[in-house]
Amino acid sequence: MKPLSNVLGLLAAIGLGGLISTASAQDGYPDRPISVAACYPAGGGVDRNLRMVERVAAKYLGQSLLPQYRTGGSGTVAMQYIKDAEPNGYELAICDNGGAIIAPIAQGLDLDADDFTPIVQVSFVPWIMTTRASSPYDSVDAFIEAAKASESPIAIEISDIATSDHYGWLLLLKEAGLSPDKFKWNPHGGGGPKMRAIIAGEGDFLFDDAGEISGYVDNGTLRPLAVASSSRLPQFPDVPTMRELGYDVIAGSSVAMYAPPGLSDDKVEALQAAMREIKQDPALLKAFELTLQDPDTFIVDEFEAMWRKDWSNAAELLKAALGG
Amino acid sequence: MIEDLLVAATVVFNWQTLAAISAGTIVGLMIGAIPGLSATMGMALLSPFTFFVGPLVGIPFLIGLFKGGTFGGSISAILIGTPGTAANAATLLDGYEMRKKGKAGVAMMGALNASLVGDVFGTVALIFGAPALALIAIQFGPHEFFALVLFSLTMVCYVSGRSLAKGVMAASLGVFFALIGTDPIGGTPRLSFGLRELQGGLNVIALVTGLFGITEVLIQMESYGRRRKLATSVIAVELAGVGTQLRSISKHLWTIVRSSLVGTFIGALPGIGSETSPWVAYGLAKRASKTPERFGKGTLAGVVAPEAANNAVCAAAMIPMLVFGIPGDIVTAILMSALIAQGLQPGPYLIAEHRDVIFGLFMSVLFATVALYIFGRLTMRWWIRVLTIPRPLLYSVVVAFCVVGTYSVKSSSFDLAVMFVFGVIGYVMRKLDIAIAPLLLSFVLAKILEESLRRGLVQSDGSLLAFFERPITAGILTLTALLLLTFAVLTWRRYRSGRIERSQD
């Protein structure tokens, strides 16, 4: 008889488990924490923006955001994940234009604008070409000249293959008339690990944003060479734009949040309503100021149109950058 | 540093965190005291529930549980000669003998006092060691991470079972299961058989609850009918008075301190921890003793040595987990997945960017030490009674927790299926005497192992030589090779002398 009572106990326990978990069925959305898949590892711009939103989100959403790291594949692992996730409003992804648009195209993945529900662009930051302060290169021209003269390839640290910083480099090299094959591209898997390699002295060159480099510029570790935006940045008034130097390069990282395709309109609206309020939150604005981001690039309503336009232009842009 | 700790103390000193630590400690003591329920299993079962509270409530709860469980295991080791957890196996040698002599109370209080000292050593090492190590962690690129993970896996393969070959087998299985999901470099799905649920990879919580919860229940169900009823005569135990305790501490002070140091050191190495250090401490205590012949016959030194060592491991094992994101054992692997679920990715960035949370954790480890002493002392009598709970009732509750916990993470019934499948896999492995720990640990570490190897190779143009040109990497790899060689020689010698089983058994 003993084994029978063991089995009965087991069944009772499973029944109990089922009862408890179905009892928590939802009424108002959201009624439990929303997990957000970050497409790059801890450290770096995507992680930073996620943190900034996450810190204030609970106040407006009524539930907290739970950052999860689904890294790899130049950011496409998180995007693939969210494309296939249940559109229940409890799964979101955060990634930049590199992982969301450029890498899927470069990798030939079967993705396009309709495979996601765009929610919000949290920020757009222009790239700043940066080198270690101890390196002999003090200008973009010095770097270009050295690359032209050099026999062996010059190493460049990038987040990953076909990420938005890699893309920025390709645009610059095209403008300078240099082949990407003359360089050694070191992919690190994300902005955090990329910066680590620079700080540890393993590499010399990177594209990163003002928020990531400013601390290291202040303490004399890094030296900014040029900004890939249309005008100089207020926090680095002495750093020229690439256009001023004769290279027509505008490039940066657009960090945005996405939901799975088919998320119901009322849930999209609930999320976007919260985002509109988050945009006005004093704590978020303070965080934008500290990380040298422009609060005007926090865009809710026009983001979907921007997202579609970026996708329709992307293939062409990428081809142009690769020179093919 | 000190300032950080003081700030953290004010953060942690609120009723939720203190209640979480206390509750964790009490649950841990109970789980530890029940033979068959280990601290590891308790953490596996309860960690999903911590995802829904803040990091400084959920994680302190788990830390309390870890410490309570590690000590709690000594109660059943001493009283009924069955260690509550593998970490207390060494304790029973002398602890059970002491009980036979009617000195169970002295043994239990000695174990508690030794645990306290071990705890303090481990915690101090954690608080000062982790931030210091984080400073050099900036030098750790993909090559270094690859070497470090390889080192940990080599260690865990050897120490967690009786056979190196079986350990390697289990670890390889873990790597295989970790490959299911999405290629971390190319971003394409692999081994997912077109199933959407598999593209995100297997859920680590489902794996842990299956391997440690369901497996144990299956084992217990099978052996229930055959096992003799627990002796209920153990309930009358006289605990030692303060005077006796102080005398026994001062008599064994050096043994306790040495064992604490051993536990701290072994705990801080990635790959080995609570199951190894008590044996090492016991062996050292015996060797250093003037009366080694009394070991195994009921000497208090044989109780305090392993207990100080296994509790010192608790905090020290968090060092490699927090600094490098490389858990040293299953318990820290579970702690790490709980941290990640809270959005806190262990690694060099965690200490730099979430200093508040990290020092909050340090403070909760300290508070857990105090809580363990207080609750360990106050509730010791209850756990003696816990030993008499009917098994069917107990394991039904365990299954309920497994199911609810796993389901609550993602509300996915697929995860439940994964959990039961791994429950069966774990059962088969236990039957074949293959250790489960290497499987789970290599599952957790495989992503770092693969990604660091492949990125390292990309950075060095496919040349393996780069792994030996970097000093830290070369050092760790050489150490790993030497360890493997040593293990191989030891196994060969044992084989030659006809003693296949390890001397500890």
Side-chain angles (χ1 to χ4, degrees):
Chain A
M1 279 320 283
K2 273 295 169 205
L4 180 65
S5 63
N6 290 351
V7 171
L8 283 179
L10 193 79
L11 288 176
I14 293 168
L16 183 71
L19 209 69
I20 294 170
S21 40
T22 46
S24 65
Q26 58 256 48
D27 283 316
Y29 168 78
D31 69 348
R32 57 187 164 98
I34 298 172
S35 76
V36 185
C39 70
Y40 300 128
V46 168
D47 185 42
R48 186 186 69 214
N49 278 291
L50 171 55
R51 298 278 161 199
M52 283 160 44
V53 173
E54 177 252 342
R55 214 157 288 158
V56 297
K59 226 189 313 176
Y60 305 103
L61 272 170
Q63 286 293 337
S64 50
L65 298 179
L66 267 182
Q68 307 285 296
Y69 298 91
R70 291 195 176 271
T71 62
S74 305
T76 56
V77 167
M79 295 306 287
Q80 294 261 32
Y81 173 80
I82 209 67
K83 177 200 155 202
D84 290 328
E86 205 72 52
N88 55 12
Y90 296 99
E91 302 263 14
L92 300 177
I94 187 166
C95 197
D96 79 343
N97 48 327
I101 304 177
I102 302 167
I105 296 175
Q107 292 170 7
L109 298 178
D110 184 21
L111 291 179
D112 87 72
D114 293 326
D115 287 325
F116 307 96
T117 308
I119 302 295
V120 58
Q121 169 173 292
V122 181
S123 81
F124 175 84
V125 284
W127 291 132
I128 302 170
M129 180 175 167
T130 307
T131 182
R132 279 194 305 128
S134 57
S135 88
Y137 310 98
D138 57 1
S139 70
V140 178
D141 287 333
F143 164 77
I144 300 285
E145 291 311 315
K148 280 184 174 155
S150 171
E151 291 288 308
S152 58
I154 291 182
I156 294 175
E157 311 306 311
I158 53 175
S159 281
D160 218 332
I161 301 293
T163 46
S164 54
D165 57 332
H166 187 194
Y167 176 68
W169 280 106
L170 294 178
L171 293 176
L172 173 65
L173 297 185
K174 181 163 180 284
E175 282 285 307
L178 280 163
S179 158
D181 301 339
K182 284 200 67 123
F183 298 86
K184 178 162 160 24
W185 304 98
N186 283 334
H188 292 275
K194 171 177 75 175
M195 185 58 94
R196 182 211 66 80
I198 297 283
I199 300 307
E202 292 167 22
D204 278 330
F205 297 104
L206 84 163
F207 270 25
D208 219 323
D209 67 65
E212 292 293 310
I213 68 167
S214 66
Y216 297 113
V217 172
D218 290 346
N219 73 15
T221 314
L222 297 182
R223 177 195 302 145
L225 298 180
V227 193
S229 62
S230 52
S231 57
R232 293 193 180 199
L233 299 182
Q235 55 275 13
F236 297 119
D238 303 331
V239 180
T241 67
M242 293 206 179
R243 273 189 181 164
E244 287 173 48
L245 300 172
Y247 307 102
D248 188 15
V249 178
I250 305 276
S253 168
S254 147
V255 177
M257 284 197 195
Y258 307 93
L263 182 65
S264 68
D265 287 346
D266 51 325
K267 286 186 176 171
V268 172
E269 180 45 38
L271 288 169
Q272 291 191 331
M275 290 301 164
R276 277 182 214 109
E277 290 185 88
I278 287 170
K279 183 181 174 170
Q280 312 293 334
D281 186 278
L284 184 93
L285 291 173
K286 182 76 196 159
F288 263 63
E289 193 186 319
L290 288 174
T291 55
L292 311 174
Q293 298 190 137
D294 180 357
D296 287 341
T297 63
F298 191 112
I299 295 170
V300 183
D301 294 304
E302 303 90 49
F303 177 51
E304 182 168 3
M306 289 163 54
W307 160 253
R308 292 192 176 281
K309 189 163 150 255
D310 281 352
W311 262 99
S312 58
N313 293 341
E316 210 175 310
L317 287 173
L318 194 65
K319 218 195 287 170
L322 291 166
Chain B
M1 177 87 201
I2 299 297
E3 202 177 313
D4 283 319
L5 279 175
L6 291 177
V7 171
T10 59
V11 175
V12 174
F13 209 82
N14 63 65
W15 71 268
Q16 286 117 320
T17 306
L18 293 183
I21 295 174
S22 309
T25 311
I26 293 174
V27 173
L29 282 165
M30 179 178 78
I31 288 177
I34 300 171
L37 299 192
S38 62
T40 313
M41 183 182 174
M43 290 179 71
L45 257 51
L46 296 175
S47 73
F49 299 98
T50 65
F51 299 170
F52 302 102
V53 290
L56 285 180
V57 177
I59 307 294
F61 173 81
L62 291 177
I63 291 172
L65 206 162
F66 183 16
K67 291 201 166 191
T70 306
F71 166 71
S74 70
I75 298 175
S76 61
I78 292 168
L79 289 180
I80 56 171
T82 309
T85 74
N88 309 99
T91 309
L92 89 87
L93 297 182
D94 282 276
Y96 193 50
E97 289 302 317
M98 284 183 77
R99 158 162 127 70
K100 283 190 195 157
K101 292 182 190 168
K103 292 199 286 185
V106 180
M108 283 162 70
M109 289 313 296
L112 183 60
N113 292 323
S115 295
L116 179 74
V117 179
D119 254 346
V120 171
F121 270 82
T123 309
V124 169
L126 170 68
I127 291 175
F128 291 96
L133 256 183
L135 293 179
I136 66 153
I138 194 86
Q139 299 297 335
F140 275 62
H143 303 84
E144 285 78 11
F145 270 102
F146 174 72
L148 203 56
V149 171
L150 206 62
F151 173 81
S152 325
L153 285 180
T154 310
M155 286 290 242
V156 80
C157 284
Y158 183 69
V159 299
S160 54
R162 292 179 193 183
S163 143
L164 181 59
K166 284 179 175 176
V168 172
M169 200 191 297
S172 313
L173 268 178
V175 173
F176 167 72
F177 288 124
L179 290 179
I180 296 173
T182 308
D183 181 343
I185 309 287
T188 45
R190 64 181 180 196
L191 296 176
S192 63
F193 302 101
L195 285 175
R196 197 176 75 180
E197 288 89 347
L198 279 179
Q199 282 183 15
L202 295 170
N203 181 353
V204 64
I205 295 299
L207 225 76
V208 174
T209 42
L211 288 173
F212 288 90
I214 304 295
T215 296
E216 185 65 39
V217 172
L218 290 174
I219 297 269
Q220 294 289 341
M221 272 170 76
E222 181 192 50
S223 64
Y224 178 68
R226 282 190 265 118
R227 215 163 53 194
R228 280 173 290 121
K229 279 227 157 189
L230 286 173
T232 44
S233 61
V234 295
I235 291 177
V237 169
E238 194 158 323
L239 300 177
V242 179
T244 327
Q245 286 183 46
L246 283 178
R247 247 177 318 202
S248 63
I249 292 184
S250 60
K251 194 174 158 204
H252 297 292
L253 188 64
W254 176 228
T255 305
I256 296 176
V257 168
R258 182 183 43 228
S259 307
S260 302
L261 288 172
V262 165
T264 305
F265 177 72
I266 293 183
L269 289 178
I272 53 175
S274 55
E275 287 165 25
T276 318
S277 65
W279 291 107
V280 177
Y282 186 85
L284 283 176
K286 188 173 177 180
R287 198 173 300 167
S289 170
K290 289 188 201 102
T291 52
E293 69 282 357
R294 288 176 58 193
F295 276 75
K297 298 205 178 87
T299 173
L300 190 59
V303 174
V304 294
E307 284 301 312
N310 66 26
N311 267 71
V313 166
C314 294
M318 289 171 68
I319 298 174
M321 187 269 281
L322 286 175
V323 175
F324 298 110
I326 295 180
D329 55 16
I330 300 302
V331 170
T332 40
I334 296 170
L335 263 184
M336 188 168 100
S337 62
L339 279 169
I340 292 174
Q342 298 276 3
L344 300 163
Q345 177 81 48
Y349 295 96
L350 188 63
I351 294 181
E353 289 175 15
H354 300 279
R355 232 179 146 71
D356 49 338
V357 178
I358 289 299
F359 278 85
L361 278 187
F362 290 169
M363 274 328 270
S364 7
V365 175
L366 263 184
F367 283 162
T369 303
V370 180
L372 172 62
Y373 193 76
I374 296 173
F375 292 111
R377 179 75 187 81
L378 288 180
T379 61
M380 202 173 271
R381 288 186 187 281
W382 304 358
W383 314 131
I384 300 170
R385 292 189 177 276
V386 160
L387 293 172
T388 59
I389 292 179
R391 310 276 105 174
L393 192 68
L394 197 62
Y395 286 103
S396 307
V397 173
V398 169
V399 175
F401 271 105
C402 288
V403 171
V404 177
T406 304
Y407 188 78
S408 67
V409 181
K410 284 201 297 182
S411 306
S412 151
S413 43
F414 185 81
D415 282 353
L416 285 183
V418 171
M419 176 188 83
F420 282 111
V421 167
F422 275 89
V424 174
I425 292 177
Y427 174 79
V428 173
M429 287 173 68
R430 292 262 302 258
K431 284 275 131 184
L432 296 175
D433 200 22
I434 302 172
I436 295 175
L439 189 160
L440 187 66
L441 212 58
S442 69
F443 177 81
V444 174
L445 291 175
K447 189 176 153 76
I448 315 176
L449 188 74
E450 181 191 4
E451 223 181 306
S452 56
L453 173 65
R454 288 175 64 182
R455 283 196 197 289
L457 283 175
V458 169
Q459 285 179 21
S460 56
D461 283 325
S463 158
L464 280 169
L465 212 61
F467 286 89
F468 296 95
E469 284 169 359
R470 300 168 65 106
I472 300 177
T473 314
I476 302 173
L477 284 178
T478 312
L479 197 64
T480 312
L482 285 177
L483 269 175
L484 265 178
L485 199 69
T486 318
F487 295 160
V489 169
L490 286 176
T491 311
W492 174 243
R493 282 215 192 126
R494 232 185 293 145
Y495 176 72
R496 281 275 300 264
S497 64
R499 285 189 309 138
I500 304 297
E501 294 200 340
R502 282 170 74 180
S503 51
Q504 305 162 352
D505 296 299

